[in-house]
Amino acid sequence: MDGGVIGVFDSGVGGLTVLKAIRDLLPKENLVYFGDTARVPYGTKSPKTIVKYSLENARLLSSFNLKLLVVACNTSSAHALEALRRELPVPVVGVVEPGAKLAVSSSKNGKVGVIGTEATVKSDAYKRAILSINPSYQVFQRACPLLVPLIEEGWLNDPITAQVVKRYLSPFKELSIDTLVLGCTHYPLLKGLIKELFPEFNLIDSAKAVALTVKELLSSSSDGGGSVKVLVSDKTERFERIAKMIMGRDITVEEVSFDKE
Ligand code: DGL
């Protein structure tokens, strides 16, 4: 492809929220997405395994003429960004830094909540990124492991999901945060519900911030055809159903194998 493609990977389907934001902002760029659906979830795995999987995903995408790689997975961004930057000859954009920047510029009282997978929260990546921008901020974090399965079930506006969201997020209200970072690629799909239940929180969806960072990094605008290729390590009807929910249209999904590299 002329000028190279932007590669995007996630542990599964959630990173399509980032792919969509990039496509909306840069419609002429050629994009290749890889969802590691055979090995999802990453959020409960050890840092060593998350780094290994992330490097394998990047190598798989490197068989395309990559000009930039987007790590559209908070868990991989939190643990594997340095390893990926060391290995790849192209710029690597994670989701944590853009999300942290946006959170700092959006908060008025300096109290920020962060929700994510267990691995993301344990890494303290958002906390470190926010405090490196402004050390006077207070950052409160919480892992919300039940949200990904509820979202994948399509229960976006369900009373059970509402109960779970209330239980996870109510402590943030007592801590008087004014800004909440949605530190997992699936969570933007719950924006409507969270807004309804906690209208006082300013929600940070790093997908848009990532798309803006990508735009800034590309030296010139592409004259590519705006193709979107979606690859997975395990193709299921479930992926296609959720992908349609996220992208708002049917997409063609192709299964690829790590062995073929
Ligand atoms: N994509 C992951 C993230 O953003 C969530 C799903 C998983 O645990 O792999 O952290």
Side-chain angles (χ1 to χ4, degrees), residues 97 100-102 104-105 128-137:
E97 280 164 35
K101 263 191 211 158
L102 194 59
V104 171
S105 62
R128 274 185 278 119
I130 291 170
L131 296 182
S132 76
I133 304 169
N134 190 331
S136 73
Y137 268 51

Side-chain angles (χ1 to χ4, degrees), residues 205-218:
D205 167 0
S206 38
K208 278 187 202 142
V210 170
L212 284 167
T213 305
V214 170
K215 191 175 180 191
E216 278 165 25
L217 280 170
L218 295 175

Side-chain angles (χ1 to χ4, degrees), residues 12-236:
V13 74
L16 288 174
T17 56
V18 178
L19 187 80
K20 183 172 186 300
I22 297 171
R23 194 202 57 190
D24 289 350
L25 190 69
L26 300 162
K28 292 202 172 134
E29 292 294 336
N30 292 322
L31 309 174
V32 186
Y33 180 88
F34 176 66
D36 192 9
T37 45
R39 305 190 294 194
V40 72
Y42 284 10
T44 49
K45 299 213 163 56
S46 69
K48 194 176 109 224
T49 299
I50 296 163
V51 171
K52 177 178 180 281
Y53 287 179
S54 303
L55 287 172
E56 284 167 0
N57 298 343
R59 284 172 201 143
L60 189 143
L61 282 171
S62 293
S63 64
F64 294 88
N65 176 23
L66 280 195
K67 62 176 173 185
L68 189 143
L69 177 73
V70 177
V71 185
C73 173
N74 286 266
T75 308
S76 288
S77 298
H79 289 278
L81 208 61
E82 275 177 32
L84 288 163
R85 284 187 172 148
R86 267 198 307 270
E87 173 152 323
L88 294 194
V90 296
V92 179
V93 179
V95 283
V96 173
E97 280 164 35
K101 263 191 211 158
L102 194 59
V104 171
S105 62
S106 305
S107 174
K108 298 217 160 41
N109 71 0
K111 293 184 182 184
V112 176
V114 176
I115 53 173
T117 64
E118 285 171 50
T120 299
V121 166
K122 266 193 202 142
S123 76
D124 274 340
Y126 272 103
K127 192 171 183 173
R128 274 185 278 119
I130 291 170
L131 296 182
S132 76
I133 304 169
N134 190 331
S136 73
Y137 268 51
Q138 280 181 283
V139 182
F140 307 99
Q141 309 183 84
R142 177 139 209 208
C144 303
L146 293 177
L147 297 186
V148 167
L150 288 167
I151 293 164
E152 296 215 341
E153 205 52 41
W155 293 9
L156 304 182
N157 247 314
D158 188 278
I160 292 177
T161 311
Q163 280 301 317
V164 175
V165 167
K166 268 191 222 157
R167 181 142 175 193
Y168 279 140
L169 301 190
S170 293
F172 287 122
K173 199 170 169 175
E174 281 148 38
L175 292 163
S176 316
I177 65 154
D178 68 352
T179 300
L180 180 72
V181 179
L182 306 176
C184 171
T185 47
H186 283 65
Y187 298 170
L189 293 172
L190 285 183
K191 246 198 243 171
L193 182 67
I194 299 176
K195 263 206 164 332
E196 207 181 296
L197 297 171
F198 297 93
E200 62 275 55
F201 297 167
N202 177 17
L203 303 182
I204 304 297
D205 167 0
S206 38
K208 278 187 202 142
V210 170
L212 284 167
T213 305
V214 170
K215 191 175 180 191
E216 278 165 25
L217 280 170
L218 295 175
S219 42
S220 59
S221 56
S222 169
D223 52 2
S227 67
V228 179
K229 201 175 186 52
V230 177
L231 310 172
V232 291
S233 47
D234 184 38
K235 184 175 165 180
T236 58

